[in-house]
C-alpha cells in the first residue's frame, strides 16, 4: 500500500517531458489536391490547402446563414459536440484511459446532461408561448432545473460507483478533464446562441471578425512576418498581429454598415408559435438607425468632413473588432500551450491544412463570452416582449394581481386617471 502511494506521488511530480506521446494525426488532404500541388514546396502547398479549404468553409457558412437561424443553432451544436469529442479524445489517448470502467459512457452522458440544462433554459426563455400550449412541456419546464440536477446526480453517482482502487487518481484526473471540457465547449456555445437571439448581427459580426483576423494575420505573417510574437506559437509574428488588427477593425466597420441596413440581421430572433417558425421582423432599434455625428476637429483637416452619417452599431463594432484582434488571439495562444503540453500539433485532422474543429474555434469561444457580457452590460435594456411572454404563463389570479399592481403604479405616476375602471 505504501509503495503504491509513493508511485502515485511520483506520477504527480513528473515533468512535462514525461507526458505520453499522442499518435500524430494522419494527413486527410484529398488526393486530388495532393496531386495538383505536388510540385510546390511544403510552405506554399500548405498555403494553397488552407486557402482552398477556408473559401469552402466560408461559402458553407454563408449558405447556412441563408437557411436561417435554426440552421445556425444546429451548426453551433454540431461544432460544440465535435470540439468536445476532440478534447476528450486527447485525454483518452494521453492517459491511456480506454480501460477505465464506464468512462466513455459517462463523458457523453455528462455532455447530454449539460446540454439538456442549457437548451431547456433557452426554451423556457424564448419559447414561452409555444410551451404554454403543450401540457407535457409545461411540466418539463416547470421542473427543469430539478430534472437537470437529478440527471447530473445520476452521472455523479455512477462515477463514484465506477471507481477502481488501482485507478483512483487517474479516474479523478479524467473526471476533472471532462468538466473543464464541458465548461470550455458547452457553456460558451450556449452564450453563442444567446447572442444569436439578440439579433443575427450580434452573432455574425463577432464571428466574422475573428475569422477575418485569423485570415489577415496569417496573410500578413506569411508575406511580411519577421518578428516572433510569442514563444507558445513560433509562427505568429508581430507583423501578422498588427496587420490583422487594422484589417479586422476596417472589416468590422464596413461589414456592420452592410448588416445594419437589413431587418433580417438586426431584429431579435423570435419564435412565432402560429407559424412554427423563427422570425426576424421588427422596428429596428436606435442602434440600427442612421445618425449624423460630428467629426473631431483633428480628423476634420485630414478627412475634409465636418459630419458623418453612420449607424450607432458601427461604434460598437470597434469594440467587437478590437477584442477579436487583440484579445481573441489569446484563446489561440492558450490552445497552443495546451497542445504543446501534450506534444500534439493539432487537436485532430478533420480539416486539411487547418487541423481539428477546435483549432479553428479556439478564439471563438472567448469571443462569445465577451459579446454576451458586452450586450448585458452596455446594450440590453428591459424587454417588454419577453416580459409579456412570461406574464402569459402565469395563472389567471396571478395575472390579475400583476394587472392591479401595475394599474396602481400608473395611477400614482399620473399616467392613468384614478377613475379608470379595469
Amino acid at each position: 500500500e505504501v509503495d503504491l502511494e509513493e508511485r502515485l506521488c511520483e506520477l504527480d511530480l513528473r515533468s512535462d517531458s514525461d507526458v505520453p506521446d499522442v499518435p500524430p494525426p494522419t494527413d486527410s488532404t484529398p488526393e486530388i489536391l495532393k496531386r495538383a500541388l505536388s510540385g510546390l514546396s511544403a510552405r506554399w502547398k500548405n498555403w494553397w490547402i488552407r486557402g482552398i479549404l477556408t473559401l469552402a468553409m466560408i461559402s458553407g457558412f454563408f449558405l447556412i446563414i441563408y437557411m436561417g437561424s435554426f440552421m445556425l443553432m444546429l451548426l453551433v451544436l454540431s461544432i460544440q459536440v465535435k470540439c468536445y469529442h476532440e478534447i476528450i479524445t486527447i485525454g483518452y489517448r494521453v492517459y491511456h484511459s480506454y480501460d477505465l470502467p464506464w468512462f466513455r459512457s459517462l463523458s457523453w452522458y455528462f455532455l447530454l446532461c449539460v446540454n439538456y440544462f442549457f437548451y431547456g433554459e433557452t426554451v423556457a426563455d424564448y419559447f414561452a408561448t409555444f410551451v404554454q400550449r403543450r401540457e407535457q412541456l409545461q411540466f418539463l419546464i416547470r421542473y427543469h432545473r430539478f430534472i437537470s440536477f437529478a440527471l447530473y446526480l445520476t452521472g455523479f453517482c455512477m462515477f463514484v460507483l465506477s471507481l477502481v482502487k488501482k485507478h483512483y487518481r487517474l479516474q479523478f484526473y479524467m473526471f476533472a478533464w471532462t468538466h473543464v471540457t464541458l465548461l470550455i465547449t458547452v457553456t460558451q456555445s450556449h452564450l453563442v446562441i444567446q447572442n444569436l437571439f439578440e439579433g443575427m448581427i450580434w452573432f455574425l459580426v463577432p464571428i466574422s471578425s475573428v475569422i477575418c483576423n485569423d485570415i489577415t494575420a496569417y496573410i500578413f505573417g506569411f508575406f511580411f512576418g519577421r518578428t516572433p510574437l510569442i514563444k507558445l506559437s513560433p509562427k505568429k509574428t508581430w507583423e501578422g498581429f498588427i496587420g490583422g488588427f487594422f484589417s479586422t477593425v476596417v472589416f468590422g466597420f464596413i461589414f456592420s454598415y452592410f448588416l445594419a441596413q437589413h431587418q433580417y440581421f438586426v431584429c431579435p430572433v423570435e419564435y412565432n408559435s402560429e407559424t412554427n417558425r423563427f422570425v426576424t421582423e421588427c422596428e429596428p432599434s436606435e442602434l440600427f438607425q442612421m445618425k449624423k455625428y460630428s467629426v473631431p476637429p483633428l480628423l476634420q483637416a485630414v478627412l475634409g468632413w465636418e459630419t458623418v452619417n453612420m449607424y450607432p452599431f458601427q461604434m460598437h463594432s470597434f469594440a467587437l473588432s478590437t477584442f477579436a484582434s487583440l484579445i481573441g488571439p489569446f484563446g489561440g495562444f492558450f490552445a497552443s500551450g495546451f497542445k504543446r503540453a501534450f506534444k500534439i500539433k493539432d487537436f485532430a485532422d478533420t480539416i486539411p491544412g487547418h487541423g481539428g474543429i477546435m483549432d479553428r474555434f479556439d478564439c471563438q469561444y472567448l469571443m462569445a463570452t465577451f459579446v454576451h457580457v458586452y450586450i448585458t452590460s452596455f446594450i440590453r435594456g428591459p424587454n417588454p416582449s419577453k416580459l409579456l411572454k412570461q406574464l402569459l404563463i402565469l395563472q389567471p389570479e396571478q395575472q390579475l394581481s400583476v394587472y392591479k399592481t401595475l394599474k396602481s403604479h400608473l395611477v400614482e405616476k399620473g399616467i392613468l386617471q384614478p377613475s379608470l375602471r379595469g
Side-chain angles (χ1 to χ4, degrees), residues 21 50-51 70 72 148 195 198 215 229 276 279 313 412:
D21 289 328
R50 287 175 67 97
F70 182 71
L72 283 172
S148 300
N195 299 339
E198 295 295 326
I215 293 173
L229 175 63
N276 289 327
V279 295
F313 180 82
E412 290 178 4

Side-chain angles (χ1 to χ4, degrees), residues 20 33 40 52-54 84 105 107 124 127 139 174 187 232 235 253 267 309 313 328 332 348 382 412:
L33 275 181
L40 299 176
I52 292 170
L53 269 296
T54 296
Y84 180 83
S105 300
S107 295
F127 301 86
F139 173 82
M174 298 310 299
T187 306
L232 282 173
K235 293 184 180 180
F253 188 81
C267 291
N309 293 325
F313 180 82
E412 290 178 4

Side-chain angles (χ1 to χ4, degrees), residues 61 203-213 248 251 255 364:
F61 183 54
F203 173 85
L204 293 177
V205 170
I207 285 180
S208 299
S209 295
V210 172
I211 294 173
C212 174
N213 186 68
T248 303
F251 167 82
F255 192 49
Q364 296 287 5

